[in-house]
Amino acid sequence: MDVKEALKIFALNHGDDALVLSHRITEWCGHGPELEEDIALSNVGLDLLGQAQSLLNYAGELGGEGKNADDLAYRRREREFTSLLLVEQPNGNYANTIARQFFYDTFHYYFLQGLKNSQDEFLKGFAEKSIKEVAYHLRHSSKWVIIFGDGTDESHQKIQEAVEQIWKYTGEMFEVSEAYSTLQKANILPNLDEVKSNYQTKISEVLAEAKLKIPEGTFMSTGGRNGIHTENLGYMLTEMQYLVRTYPDANWD
Amino acid sequence: MSQNEKTNWPLWEVFIQSKPGLSHKHVGSIHAADAQSAIENARDVYTRRSEGTSIWVVPANAISASSPDDEGEFFEPANDKVYRHPTFYNIPKGVKYL
Amino acid sequence: MDENILLENFQKKVDAEIKVEPKDWMPEKYRKTLIRQISQHAHSEVVGMLPEANWLTRAPSLRRKMILLAKIQDEAGHGLYLYSSAETLGADRQDLIEELLSGKAKYSSIFNYPTLTWADIGAVGWLVDGAAIMNQVMLTRASYGPYARAMVRICKEESFHQRQGFEIVANLANGTPEQKEMAQDALNRWWWPSLMMFGPTDDNSPNSALSMKWKIKRKSNDELRQDFIDRTVQQAEAIGLTVPDKDLKWNEEKGHYDFGTINWDEFFEVIKGNGPCNQERLSARQEAYNKGSWVREAAKAYAAKKQVSKAA
């Protein structure tokens, strides 16, 4: 696989992650557990939307068909989306949302840290900007994991269940695809083993401080990067793409 | 009240320094369970448009305020001490940057 | 000191445009009026997030989605600034919110109307925020310091809200025939409720006189409404939309538009709880509050544990 094709796939993969997760976050807007928290979560959503836009525009440029981020977000079908299964999982209760966010943020943070050394100028710049945002996301979600774990009996139970439920979707982040290994060889993407080892250290620390058990399950679901999703994604896209699909010739800016 | 005690996060007063070199200025308040969260909430609520470089939060119940009835003895002595204000001093014409 | 003398001094101070601050003496009715008004305003910001969030997951481009999310987030922030200034008067946010959830406290009736199409998001920004801004600009000069200061902050942030709304409507009005129809339909449905936002006519607004005397308000409902109409009609014309009022006509002599009769029966029905979405809005807030209670409790419990371990 050539580097350009691999880059396009990578930009789509991570752009889709940010897009899908930001969409889930917007579903909380106006319904958060406290006003202050509603605002904090919206900040995370805004950062991710901005990142999705950059990466999808980049994917569009590399694709050479004149597509921009909106074309890719609003005019692809469910099987064409390459986001992780993790990020499309429904919001559930606030513990489910926080657990999903925590695992993603931890991965995202250490991944971007590696990406800052990328040989690709765009990705390097992207990582330098985004890591500041994601450092804050991680601080926010890990704080809540600890609060829930070490808060009340009810919150402890809820976050423990949430961690158990989402666990099987956390393996996919570390899969090395053909595109990924092409880019890693070209020093464009970080070594995923290193990212994973930082990730595991952080997860263990936070879960220990939260007095939570690390799930023992080893089975990991996979498929998102190949467009094989859970049933959740189709509904999300139905909603997200409704206007663009209903009025295909209209311009919405 | 007991209901409030149970779920209401305490109130924190928020002070923001808009630029290095300036003093922190009171901007309002927020609710948060602890000081760290209070700082984070204040950042999200009061500096969404990069209005600040530094944030202080203080538990609202830890602030004691002067009472307006004391206004006379509290503030009037300072009103007399005009030498504390730069406009008290005559500067020769042509002298700048003072 | 004698209550009458205090009252007289208070009025002198207000007349001299000196701001009233939290620990100053103030008439009990001034304090109560402010708590009621500020908390209603705060509730309106928070409930007002809902009709807009209704289209957040269906926003038709990434840019629109970001703008809308940032705008709704601002509204949450504005709600917080306002609760914060109500708390300087000795109110407790929790109590105020419980009054909202029990249906005892009011919020702006406009948010009981549904956002049925994407054009409604434009109309809400253009008309609803536009009407709100008229009121808010006036309130930056309110006699109560913390309220006025919150309003200054809000007005600064609010300026982009109305623009983004107008931009949405203008783009639709210049778009495909279907988009233009969508824009006109939104204007048709939001025009009259927006005019109602200024409240009953002056001769039917019993609390206004005192609020004006105490300089909480500085313009009457009818004056603000007229200003709004005069500005907005021209904006509608500029983008080729028609204001749905056959009696609307420029009155050269007055220098204002004459306009048709507002359906006040509808206004009072919506206030009473019979608007299209009153129940939905309230139950959405109740649900958020109830589902959030274990979260808030967890944070409190955790903070308490940390306090103990720090002390030990």
Side-chain angles (χ1 to χ4, degrees), chain A residues 19 22-23 26-27 29-36 38-40 42-43 45-46 49-50 52-53 56 69-70 73-74 93-95 144 146-148 150-152 154-155 158 209 211 236 239-244 246-247 249-253, chain C residues 46 49-50 53-67 69-70 72-73 76-80 83 93-94 97 118 167 171-172 175-176 178-179 182 284-285 288-289 291-302 305-306:
Chain A
L19 176 70
S22 72
H23 191 95
T26 60
E27 292 172 352
C29 183
H31 307 274
E34 183 62 295
L35 264 180
E36 280 86 350
D38 213 305
I39 293 174
S42 291
N43 267 350
L46 281 169
L49 265 171
Q53 195 177 37
L56 293 179
D70 283 334
Y74 289 92
N93 63 34
Y94 210 61
W144 277 108
I146 294 166
I147 287 174
F148 288 158
D150 196 15
T152 62
E154 185 184 5
S155 69
K158 282 196 158 81
E209 194 181 342
K211 302 177 178 162
M236 180 194 290
E239 202 170 324
M240 187 193 292
Q241 299 177 336
Y242 152 71
L243 274 171
V244 173
T246 309
Y247 305 94
D249 303 323
N251 174 12
W252 306 93
D253 294 308
Chain C
V46 174
M49 295 166 74
L50 298 169
N54 182 40
W55 277 89
L56 200 42
T57 52
R58 290 176 290 174
S61 74
L62 297 178
R63 175 170 169 264
R64 287 289 167 211
K65 194 155 149 175
M66 273 187 262
I67 294 174
L69 180 56
I72 303 174
Q73 188 196 36
H78 297 171
L80 277 178
Y83 284 125
R93 183 169 109 189
Q94 180 96 356
I97 288 174
W118 171 250
E167 191 190 72
N171 284 352
L172 294 175
T176 64
E178 284 161 319
Q179 283 177 307
M182 203 188 268
R285 287 312 309 161
Y289 184 82
K291 284 188 174 168
S293 94
W294 71 269
V295 176
R296 297 190 299 274
E297 277 171 36
K300 270 204 102 170
Y302 178 75
K305 282 187 195 173
K306 288 283 128 175

Side-chain angles (χ1 to χ4, degrees), chain B residues 45-91:
Chain B
V45 173
Y46 288 103
T47 68
R48 293 196 306 288
R49 288 171 173 77
S50 355
E51 291 97 333
T53 50
S54 163
I55 297 173
W56 291 349
V57 293
V58 183
N61 61 15
I63 293 185
S64 305
S66 65
S67 155
D69 300 339
D70 302 336
E71 215 172 300
E73 61 200 67
F74 234 84
F75 299 112
E76 272 167 27
N79 290 347
D80 291 341
K81 297 177 178 60
V82 286
Y83 46 81
R84 284 187 180 135
H85 297 279
T87 45
F88 178 71
Y89 300 96
N90 292 317
I91 304 286

